[in-house]
Amino acid sequence: MAQGAKPLSHETVNELGRSTRIRYFRRMLIAAGSLPEIDVRLNDLELRSRALIDGLPAEYAIIITRFFNWETLRKLRRRPVDRPISVGVANARATEVRKVAAFLAWLGENHLKLPTLNQVAVDRYLAHHDPNLIIGRFLAWVVRHRITQHFDVPRAQSTVSPATIAEDAVWEKVDVLLQTESTPMSSRIIGLFLLVFAQPIRDSVRLRRDDVQFTGENVKVQFGSTPVVLPPPIAELLVRYLDDTCDRPPYAGSPPGWLFEGVMPQQHLSDASVRFNLAKHGLHAREIKHARLDHLVQVLPASIVADITGFTVNTAMRHSANTRADWGIYSELRTRECKELDLGE
């Protein structure tokens, strides 16, 4: 490329293979404006999947290519450029391709064909090979497109269990993150957002500096439609972090504006790295998020919880119902209160 033998393009970079160095090189070129913006993880997913599919027998490759192009890529490409797929999504979809290939190989070993696949064979495979229903989307797709005859595709059972974390235990973890200095400050702040405001890590790493507001002595962060005032200890930690990172020069071009900048040029902090750092303190994001939402809906109406956290009202109401919080009739109580005030006047 430097000598002009090949054009500077994403296709040319693709020919260099896949590695962390190549990914970094690509992001540097994007940040410098030499290459157009793309979802780099999605591009890598496509390269990984193509390499796997190319090594399969032709009869398997044809069907998996159709599924991958029209069911997986088509949906992922609808995402806006500023909302790239996560590492988890990329790995899950790559695993799905491998599982589908293994399923088709199992059909061949058992002298079965997709057009004549029946419920007995599907149940037998799921019972012995795929308890997590990783290939569930593929099975639903072949039925929907009439590639095979109709059969029922079992749905994966939710793995979310009722919150078992006491509120006192949550605040103990808050104290740990406020006091520890061995964990990166960015991970500590994101962990505190999780513990106090039930913020998913994937959302916190996408916060921008513009989401932080200073009003008088208060520091506010906008997670949802209504900014929330941070408790003083968390506010002080965030201000320290902002002071430490305000003069950090960008890799190339203008600053990306992320509150938590990552290692890759123009990218936010990886949620996987945050999870790794928080796991050292026994913090498991999904469990804590659900527990903290349960705590919040017991002291605030679901609509207010939704406003300040960014979750949907339906999600907040579901947690409210699960915990049997009395705030479910908040609007009715407010209406009755207003009527009584009017009568009193």
Side-chain angles (χ1 to χ4, degrees), residues 23 61 84 95 103 140 148 153 167 169 175 215 274 329 332 335 342:
R23 192 177 303 115
T95 299
F103 172 67
T148 186
V153 180
E167 192 166 8
D175 290 338
T215 55
V274 177
I329 58 172
E332 179 184 339
T335 301
D342 290 341

Side-chain angles (χ1 to χ4, degrees), residues 24-274:
Y24 187 92
F25 175 60
R26 188 194 300 272
R27 290 196 186 277
M28 282 290 291
L29 292 175
I30 293 173
S34 300
L35 287 178
E37 183 77 29
I38 65 168
D39 187 335
V40 175
R41 290 197 190 100
L42 180 56
N43 184 75
D44 284 353
L45 170 63
E46 189 169 356
L47 294 178
R48 290 166 63 185
S49 300
R50 299 290 182 208
L52 174 63
I53 293 172
D54 288 345
L56 298 175
E59 59 179 323
Y60 301 160
I62 291 173
I63 189 68
I64 296 179
T65 298
R66 285 181 58 190
F67 169 72
F68 183 70
N69 286 343
W70 296 104
E71 182 67 12
T72 300
L73 282 183
R74 185 170 62 90
K75 292 180 178 179
L76 293 179
R77 284 172 176 164
R78 291 175 180 172
R79 299 170 66 97
V81 176
D82 61 346
R83 297 286 291 184
I85 65 173
S86 65
V87 174
V89 169
N91 289 338
R93 293 296 171 251
T95 299
E96 185 178 54
V97 172
R98 292 196 301 271
K99 290 288 186 178
V100 170
F103 172 67
L104 294 178
W106 179 84
L107 292 181
E109 293 168 1
N110 288 271
H111 309 290
L112 298 170
K113 299 288 185 181
L114 272 178
T116 57
L117 191 62
N118 57 35
Q119 189 72 52
V120 173
V122 171
D123 291 344
R124 181 154 57 98
Y125 181 83
L126 293 177
H128 294 90
H129 294 83
D130 203 19
N132 294 320
L133 293 180
I134 294 176
I135 64 166
R137 285 196 331 126
F138 174 74
L139 293 175
W141 178 78
V142 294
V143 170
R144 189 168 64 251
H145 288 267
R146 300 181 181 180
I147 297 172
T148 186
Q149 59 185 336
H150 178 78
F151 51 77
D152 293 327
V153 180
R155 293 184 178 274
Q157 298 296 318
S158 174
T159 57
V160 178
S161 57
T164 57
I165 304 176
E167 192 166 8
D168 288 345
V170 170
W171 290 110
E172 288 176 3
K173 295 294 186 181
V174 168
D175 290 338
V176 169
L177 289 185
L178 286 173
Q179 296 170 11
T180 185
E181 294 291 339
S182 59
T183 301
M185 196 180 301
S186 55
S187 293
R188 292 166 61 193
I189 295 170
I190 292 172
L192 290 166
F193 289 168
L194 168 67
L195 287 164
V196 179
F197 302 107
Q199 288 303 295
I201 293 175
R202 67 175 182 275
D203 291 345
S204 290
V205 296
R206 290 185 171 89
L207 287 171
R208 294 189 172 271
R209 288 181 177 262
D210 292 343
D211 292 321
V212 180
Q213 305 169 14
F214 296 89
T215 55
E217 297 181 354
N218 293 327
V219 179
K220 298 181 180 179
V221 176
Q222 188 153 2
F223 301 119
S225 58
T226 302
V228 294
V229 177
L230 297 181
I234 301 178
E236 292 172 8
L237 188 64
L238 180 58
V239 170
R240 275 180 53 200
Y241 171 79
L242 290 171
D243 289 341
D244 291 345
T245 58
C246 65
D247 295 328
R248 183 182 299 170
Y251 289 94
S254 59
W258 298 115
L259 178 57
F260 304 107
E261 292 186 29
V263 176
M264 290 289 181
Q266 301 288 317
Q267 300 300 302
H268 58 68
L269 184 64
S270 165
D271 55 344
S273 66
V274 177

